[in-house]
Amino acid sequence: MAIKLIEIEAARGLVLDHVTKPLEAERVPLGDALGRVLAEDLNATEPVPASDNSAMDGYAVRAADTAEAPATLRTAGESRAGTPADRPLGDGEAIAISTGALVPEGADAVVRVEDTESAYGSVVVSAAVELGQNIRRAGEDIRVGERVLAAGTTVGPAEIGVLGSLGSGEVPCARRPLVSVLSTGDELIGFDEPLHLGAVRNSNSLSVPALALAAGAEVALVERVRDDPAATREAIERGLEGDVLVVCGGVSVGEHDHVRPALADLGAEQAFWGVALRPGKPTWFGVTPGGALVFGLPGNPVSAMVTFILFARPAIRALLGADPAAARTRAILDEDLPKKPGRTHAVRCSLELREDGWHARSTGAQGSHVLTSMLGADALAFLPSESDGASAGDRVEIELLPGHLALGA
Ligand code: AMP
Ligand code: MG
């Protein structure tokens, strides 16, 4: 292939240059917000906790009344979670209180039930409590006006919980980008069709939409396209109705690769074609006059997944207003990985944490058709273009694969 190859980072830079701003925001009910990206900073309109409440089951008291423990205090009612005491605390009194219940007016500390003994109509406090002890103050977690979550944050279980604790019913999030996925190839058959000689199961039509969903996109269209110029052009036109079009296969220089001519016909402008990457060399990226981002990914199942992760996923994250950068760190190789200079190898690796840090080991055979090399892969280890490989014990750059973003890189 006589095409000039560009490096991964330069290619990714070109992709991100074309996402100048996130998609417009929409209001999303909190119950549907998991995985969405906040379009605005969120400031608290109410304090958390909303009021002073007890951290313990015990008795609300005045700390001064317990200074000379053991102290006997009159019991004067109860403050239960959800049902506050119906009167303030007086001198020499104790009000029974449960965890989370409102601290009654006049009380300034809570004695743990373990430090008391109740007698008829009174309670004996065996240890003095300090002012404020066992009281959770209103606003201790979140103050009114405080910025709780920043724009660009992906809503996970913790974020959704915090938003719920603030009483937000809806949150502004960037619209999910609409992604269309086309798989080209006369050889392709679906997973439910009988196998015949020369047929190839269309695995990209499942793995690539799954990657798009995992990146936060909405999959608008998944289609299989014959290696025919007119059919390719028509399918691409349908696919261009969304924000992002991903075409798998047919982007190379073969006689039956019709994707690039069809895209050129439709006015799509090429930003790059050919990346110094293995797997993924023939990757194409461009933009249509209507502003849709188009990724032409190689058809080999591993190449399609790896190039989606390296180039299309960052675009989707940027369209959502999230940080498109993948988590990167270094790991110690546990095996020799020789290669020829020329292209960066993105080796699928499993990771293991040992005393001296993260260790990486390839998932096995790395052919671009060996889709099982993606199984158990935690990261891509990069062996730079110019290098002739790496040896066991070398530290190599790794990029964590989506789904493993909690490894703390
Ligand atoms: P291509 O990029 O079209 O030259 O395809 C390269 C290789 O990937 C060929 O062996 C194809 O059969 C295979 N391939 C192409 N598309 C798919 C697909 N959607 N699912 C699985 N394999 C594919
Ligand atoms: Mg093909």
Side-chain angles (χ1 to χ4, degrees):
M1 204 190 313
I3 53 177
K4 190 171 162 3
L5 305 181
I6 69 167
E7 293 294 332
I8 299 170
E9 280 315 317
R12 199 149 40 179
L14 283 174
V15 169
L16 292 175
D17 283 350
H18 287 86
V19 187
T20 46
K21 58 176 178 12
L23 296 172
E24 65 281 4
E26 60 189 13
R27 301 200 68 80
V28 179
L30 205 45
D32 299 330
L34 190 66
R36 301 292 298 264
V37 179
L38 297 179
E40 292 169 18
D41 289 349
L42 289 186
N43 301 320
T45 52
E46 54 187 56
V48 181
S51 47
D52 290 359
N53 68 85
S54 179
M56 294 280 176
D57 290 323
Y59 290 88
V61 297
R62 291 184 184 170
D65 287 345
T66 70
E68 278 159 36
T72 304
L73 303 174
R74 278 187 316 281
T75 43
E78 187 180 12
S79 178
R80 292 172 56 176
T83 314
D86 53 8
R87 46 161 292 190
L89 183 90
D91 270 343
E93 289 182 342
I95 289 181
I97 194 163
S98 6
T99 305
L102 192 73
V103 174
E105 205 188 311
D108 57 21
V110 169
V111 194
R112 306 186 304 163
V113 75
E114 294 90 331
D115 294 333
T116 65
E117 220 164 284
S118 65
Y120 181 73
S122 66
V123 62
V124 180
V125 177
S126 55
V129 276
E130 283 171 26
L131 200 67
Q133 203 170 330
N134 298 325
I135 294 181
R136 303 165 174 160
R137 295 289 175 202
E140 193 179 288
D141 184 3
I142 301 170
R143 295 182 315 279
V144 172
E146 188 182 330
R147 191 184 80 173
V148 186
L149 292 167
T153 302
T154 301
V155 177
E159 286 75 15
I160 230 168
V162 167
L163 290 165
S165 77
L166 284 168
S168 347
E170 291 183 330
V171 279
C173 298
R175 172 172 75 72
R176 277 149 48 100
L178 291 173
V179 174
S180 302
V181 179
L182 305 180
S183 311
T184 68
D186 287 344
E187 73 279 31
L188 300 179
I189 57 166
F191 58 85
D192 49 356
E193 291 174 62
L195 204 52
H196 60 261
L197 208 59
V200 172
R201 296 243 183 244
N202 186 2
S203 58
N204 293 346
S205 71
L206 294 163
S207 58
V208 172
L211 284 169
L213 283 174
E218 195 173 314
V219 176
L221 175 87
V222 180
E223 251 189 60
R224 183 167 83 198
V225 191
R226 282 177 293 115
D227 286 322
D228 166 81
T232 304
R233 191 195 144 109
E234 283 160 24
I236 287 177
E237 268 186 299
R238 282 191 291 281
L240 287 177
E241 282 169 25
D243 304 293
V244 177
L245 169 65
V246 180
V247 189
C248 300
V251 284
S252 201
V253 290
E255 213 180 304
H256 306 290
D257 291 340
H258 303 296
V259 173
R260 288 179 313 108
L263 284 166
D265 245 25
L266 292 164
E269 202 174 306
Q270 175 181 316
F272 66 80
W273 177 44
V275 183
L277 165 66
R278 184 182 168 140
K281 181 174 164 182
T283 305
W284 188 98
F285 170 69
V287 190
T288 65
L293 305 177
V294 184
F295 295 88
L297 307 183
N300 270 308
V302 180
S303 316
M305 285 193 77
V306 167
T307 54
F308 185 98
I309 290 164
L310 292 178
F311 306 114
R313 181 183 158 92
I316 291 170
R317 298 305 291 161
L319 285 170
L320 286 165
D323 179 359
R328 289 183 86 119
T329 185
R330 292 168 84 77
I332 301 164
L333 265 188
D334 276 353
E335 65 188 299
D336 293 340
L337 293 173
K339 76 185 249 310
K340 285 198 223 110
R343 287 191 268 162
T344 293
H345 283 206
V347 183
R348 281 77 69 206
C349 285
S350 59
L351 297 178
E352 193 190 330
L353 185 60
R354 302 218 200 110
E355 266 185 12
D356 55 349
W358 288 104
H359 284 245
R361 170 174 290 281
S362 84
T363 51
Q366 295 287 304
S368 58
H369 60 297
V370 182
L371 191 51
T372 52
S373 68
M374 292 298 293
L375 295 178
D378 299 311
L380 297 174
F382 294 112
L383 310 177
S385 291
E386 68 280 6
S387 86
D388 52 9
S391 311
D394 285 354
R395 280 184 180 272
V396 291
E397 281 282 324
I398 61 165
E399 194 165 299
L400 300 183
L401 287 168
H404 294 86
L405 300 177
L407 281 175

